Amino acid sequence: MRDCLSCLSLSGEKRISPGEIIYEGSYWVVEHAYPSSLLGWIVVVLKRHTDKLHELSAEEWNELGDINFKIINILHRLLETEKEYSCCYAEGEGFKHIHFHIIPKGKDYLPENKGAKSFNYLKVNDEKSVSRDKIIELCRKLK
């Protein structure tokens, strides 16, 4: 899928995250979002292309549940999160491929970015993003 940035990243043709893949399961790949001004913004990407949740198999849902449980708990320990968000919209230009966001809400989380406004953390360029080095380091710890 030439216009799907998730498919291009999964194939290795045009990686999105500067960090290594945190986890690769049978159906899902776990990576750090980039650019992001929030360290620990994790994206869980379906390995096959679809843009509809109702097309996921029971096996895909089961593995996703296990991944969410593990990643959320590891983020809580490493980043001392107060709360975590998990969501799926898959509506952005180039990102209609099913993927879930796991968003760590810690002490430095800005109150104006509460709820769906959390996506303000992704509306940044490379200069305003968490450094590639910090993302690479966190990905290694999460792995």
Side-chain angles (χ1 to χ4, degrees):
M1 311 246 11
R2 302 300 312 154
D3 59 342
C4 177
L5 298 175
S6 296
C7 285
L8 291 172
S9 186
L10 287 169
S11 74
E13 188 174 332
K14 187 176 181 189
R15 294 258 308 127
I16 294 169
S17 179
E20 60 188 288
I21 290 174
I22 296 164
Y23 174 79
E24 183 171 353
S26 298
Y27 307 105
W28 301 92
V29 170
V30 179
E31 301 193 88
H32 195 290
Y34 188 83
S36 171
S37 58
L38 183 65
L39 182 64
W41 187 300
I42 301 300
V43 184
V44 184
V45 183
L46 186 64
K47 288 170 84 170
R48 68 179 177 89
H49 184 87
T50 187
D51 62 355
K52 298 167 188 72
L53 288 174
H54 64 263
E55 292 181 348
L56 298 182
S57 69
E59 293 82 9
E60 289 167 334
W61 280 112
N62 288 335
E63 185 178 81
L64 177 65
D66 290 341
I67 289 169
N68 277 317
F69 176 80
K70 290 173 184 170
I71 289 293
I72 287 169
N73 282 286
I74 292 169
L75 284 173
H76 174 68
R77 283 195 315 273
L78 287 177
L79 301 179
E80 299 178 355
T81 57
E82 296 171 355
K83 185 175 188 164
E84 304 79 25
Y85 295 145
S86 179
C87 59
C88 172
Y89 297 113
E91 292 282 303
E93 191 63 38
F95 292 103
K96 292 178 176 41
H97 185 122
I98 290 296
H99 62 284
F100 286 80
H101 297 268
I102 300 175
I103 307 158
K105 189 175 177 195
K107 295 174 185 105
D108 296 334
Y109 196 94
L110 300 174
E112 62 266 24
N113 289 335
K114 194 165 140 182
K117 292 181 182 174
S118 60
F119 279 80
N120 289 334
Y121 285 111
L122 292 184
K123 296 177 183 175
V124 297
N125 58 25
D126 290 353
E127 286 180 16
K128 302 270 185 183
S129 178
V130 172
S131 76
R132 291 174 174 266
D133 289 340
K134 284 185 181 179
I135 290 172
I136 290 167
E137 180 183 339
L138 181 62
C139 289
R140 286 186 183 139
K141 288 179 181 177
L142 290 170
K143 192 168 188 161

